[in-house]
């Protein structure tokens, strides 16, 4: 039986702890201790005096929450933020984004773009992100250097790009990356078949076989628009979700991103298979793709996580904004102001993501024994006053810039809003060089 140590690495004294599990709980006059990268204690402030800590931090006016989990994105696309706005999905992709990626994406682009995304995410409370992009080795390297936790789903497409020639090469390169990173505790590798309209049924079948054999996660863009579903029904005679099910691709290791076009039968299938949904409300709204029926999914017991998608379709990587949008859109979609209360939105941004990634025993809530992935949010400013309910402020009033500190596996990556492992000045110079290069090339060249 393991006992909690009386000597700890770090002892935090916030005004509130919002552990997420149990849902809706808010602890006052409590302290949290970190030891060996994990949460060792959450205890009443009066009892914290019995602990000896190497480092103690008073956090007046601040709330501790679990580090947030951005369950879907393409981090390096931060270099394409604002490159093509106000367009629907397919013209945006086919006429603007894919040509720009064809012209500019390289290992250096991914390295710098991912670092820019990580800097933004850490400063807004994200401590774990999922990434689906070319040169996933460069994305993983940026994450390892920054100390942030991530899930890298290596891309799979039927067509050639700068990273791979065909689906077999995408898969073999991705699996090699998985072998190289197997022992990196903060990095999890999975399959990232882009979408049913860019990956053939034969190649999706290969993904299903490998994923089952290796027990790896699979993340896919799915039912992003009604047009996607309609085109698939015309071509294959069935809805994409049904095709994936027939292929054996729907199950507890599957993360279905977007899911705006969903009927009752689709929802029943998701519930029966245990597949997860990753809701990206701001991207769905900006591209006018549609709205995921989150309340119905939750009512049927489907796990829903939150993602920003890329900075090219959002245009920021801020889960506070995403939580607020999810809550507001959820109410509008359900026609019910009681739908998606603040506690549910925060759950989706934390435990929802952890469950989707199969990491629910490790992250997603503040509980003794879990990894110390923690964020401290300042609720003392005028935008959060008066303060009747910290949970309400976190979801409906905070904007991300109130994040003061964050820790991943006990390592402090943000201290008083300063990134501890990223040189922001140098990063901003590299970003400016990319902007210069991309804008001088001109659009679609
Ligand atoms: C295979 S790497 C990722 C690929 O996906 C593109 N992408 C970015 N956002 C979306 C979206 O909302 N739906 C579909 N595809 C998207 C990105 O540009 C890369 O080419
Ligand atoms: Zn996406």
């Amino acid at each position: 039986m393991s006992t909690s140590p009386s000597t700890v690495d770090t002892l935090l004294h916030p005004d509130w702890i919002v552990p997420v599990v149990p849902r809706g709980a808010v602890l006052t006059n409590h302290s949290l201790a970190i030891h060996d990268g994990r949460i060792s204690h959450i205890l009443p402030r009066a009892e914290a005096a019995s602990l000896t800590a190497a480092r103690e931090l008073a956090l007046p006016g601040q709330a501790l929450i679990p580090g947030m989990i951005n369950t879907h994105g393409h981090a390096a696309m931060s270099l394409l933020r604002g490159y093509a706005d106000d367009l629907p999905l397919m013209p945006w992709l086919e006429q603007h984004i894919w040509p720009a990626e064809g012209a500019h994406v390289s290992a250096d682009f991914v390295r710098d773009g991912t670092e820019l995304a990580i800097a933004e995410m850490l400063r807004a409370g994200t401590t774990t992100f999922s990434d689906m992009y070319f040169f996933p080795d460069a994305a993983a390297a940026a994450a390892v250097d920054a100390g942030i936790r991530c899930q890298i789903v290596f891309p799979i497409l039927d067509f050639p790009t700068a990273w791979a020639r065909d689906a077999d090469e995408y898969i073999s390169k991705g699996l090699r990356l998985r072998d190289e990173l197997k022992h990196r505790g903060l990095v999890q590798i999975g399959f990232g078949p882009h979408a049913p309209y860019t990956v053939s049924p034969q190649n999706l079948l290969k993904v299903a076989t490998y994923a089952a054999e290796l027990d790896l996660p699979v993340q896919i863009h799915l039912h992003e628009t009604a047009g996607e579903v309609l085109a698939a029904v015309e071509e294959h005679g069935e809805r994409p979700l049904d095709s994936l099910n027939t292929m054996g691709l729907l199950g507890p290791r599957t993360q279905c991103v977007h899911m705006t076009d969903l009927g009752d039968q689709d929802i029943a299938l998701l519930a029966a298979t245990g597949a997860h949904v990753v809701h990206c409300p701001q991207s769905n709204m900006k591209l006018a793709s549609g709205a995921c029926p989150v309340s119905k999914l939750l009512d049927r017991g489907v796990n829903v996580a939150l993602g920003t998608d890329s900075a090219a379709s959002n245009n920021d990587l801020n889960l506070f904004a995403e939580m607020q949008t999810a809550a507001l859109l959820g109410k509008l979609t359900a026609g019910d102001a009681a739908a998606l209360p603040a506690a549910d939105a925060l759950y989706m941004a934390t435990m929802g993501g952890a469950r989707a990634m199969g990491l629910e025993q490790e992250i997603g809530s503040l509980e003794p024994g879990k990894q110390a992935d923690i964020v401290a949010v300042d609720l003392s400013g005028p935008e959060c006053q008066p303060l009747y309910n910290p949970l309400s402020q976190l979801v409906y009033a905070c904007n991300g810039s109130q994040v003061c500190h964050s820790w991943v596996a006990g390592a402090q990556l943000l201290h008083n809003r300063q990134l501890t492992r990223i040189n922001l000045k140098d990063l901003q110079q590299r970003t400016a060089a990319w902007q210069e290069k991309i804008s001088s090339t001109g659009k679609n060249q």
Side-chain angles (χ1 to χ4, degrees), residues 232-276:
V233 171
E234 276 169 12
E235 191 181 340
H236 304 292
E238 60 182 358
R239 294 166 72 75
L241 192 68
D242 292 322
S243 304
L244 290 200
N245 190 37
T246 310
M247 289 169 201
L249 247 182
L250 279 194
R253 65 174 82 80
T254 315
Q255 304 161 16
C256 307
V257 183
H258 296 304
M259 304 306 270
T260 72
D261 188 291
L262 285 181
D264 288 345
Q265 261 185 307
D266 297 320
I267 295 175
L269 185 55
L270 288 165
T273 56
H276 307 268

Side-chain angles (χ1 to χ4, degrees), residues 72 74 221 258 309:
H72 176 70
H74 314 277
H221 294 106
H258 296 304
D309 216 332

Side-chain angles (χ1 to χ4, degrees), residues 260-420:
T260 72
D261 188 291
L262 285 181
D264 288 345
Q265 261 185 307
D266 297 320
I267 295 175
L269 185 55
L270 288 165
T273 56
H276 307 268
V277 168
V278 187
H279 179 36
C280 303
Q282 292 203 337
S283 176
N284 292 157
M285 290 167 73
K286 182 160 185 271
L287 301 172
S289 295
C292 175
V294 176
S295 245
K296 283 191 189 171
L297 288 165
L298 296 177
D299 286 349
R300 294 297 304 268
V302 177
N303 177 48
V304 182
L306 270 190
T308 55
D309 216 332
S310 82
S313 69
N314 188 304
N315 289 2
D316 57 34
L317 306 177
N318 178 346
L319 280 179
F320 278 96
E322 217 63 42
M323 275 197 296
Q324 189 185 95
T325 305
L328 303 188
L329 181 65
K331 295 172 194 306
L332 189 69
T333 312
D336 176 7
L340 271 176
D344 286 6
L346 183 62
Y347 186 94
M348 288 198 295
T350 53
M351 273 308 287
R355 288 170 61 190
M357 293 184 188
L359 295 175
E360 65 272 23
Q361 302 300 326
E362 293 290 319
I363 57 174
S365 59
L366 299 180
E367 295 178 84
K370 277 200 166 179
Q371 297 278 342
D373 288 15
I374 304 167
V375 167
V377 189
D378 182 12
L379 303 181
S380 67
E383 61 283 325
C384 288
Q385 301 303 315
L387 197 152
Y388 303 110
N389 175 1
L391 248 174
S392 170
Q393 308 303 55
L394 286 164
V395 173
Y396 297 122
C398 281
N399 58 39
S401 62
Q402 289 136 267
V403 171
C404 301
H405 309 284
S406 51
W407 293 261
V408 172
Q412 190 158 10
L413 304 186
L414 190 77
H415 178 74
N416 284 329
R417 285 205 66 65
Q418 299 301 308
L419 294 160
T420 60

Side-chain angles (χ1 to χ4, degrees), residues 41-61:
H41 307 72
I42 296 178
L43 72 184
R45 180 78 31 91
E47 293 171 25
S50 65
L51 298 175
T52 307
R55 182 169 181 255
E56 230 165 311
L57 206 55
L59 300 170

Side-chain angles (χ1 to χ4, degrees), residues 157-158 167 195-206 236 247:
L157 291 158
D158 282 350
Y197 57 89
T198 49
V199 186
S200 67
Q202 301 89 287
N203 289 328
L204 286 173
L205 260 174
K206 281 184 198 168
H236 304 292
M247 289 169 201

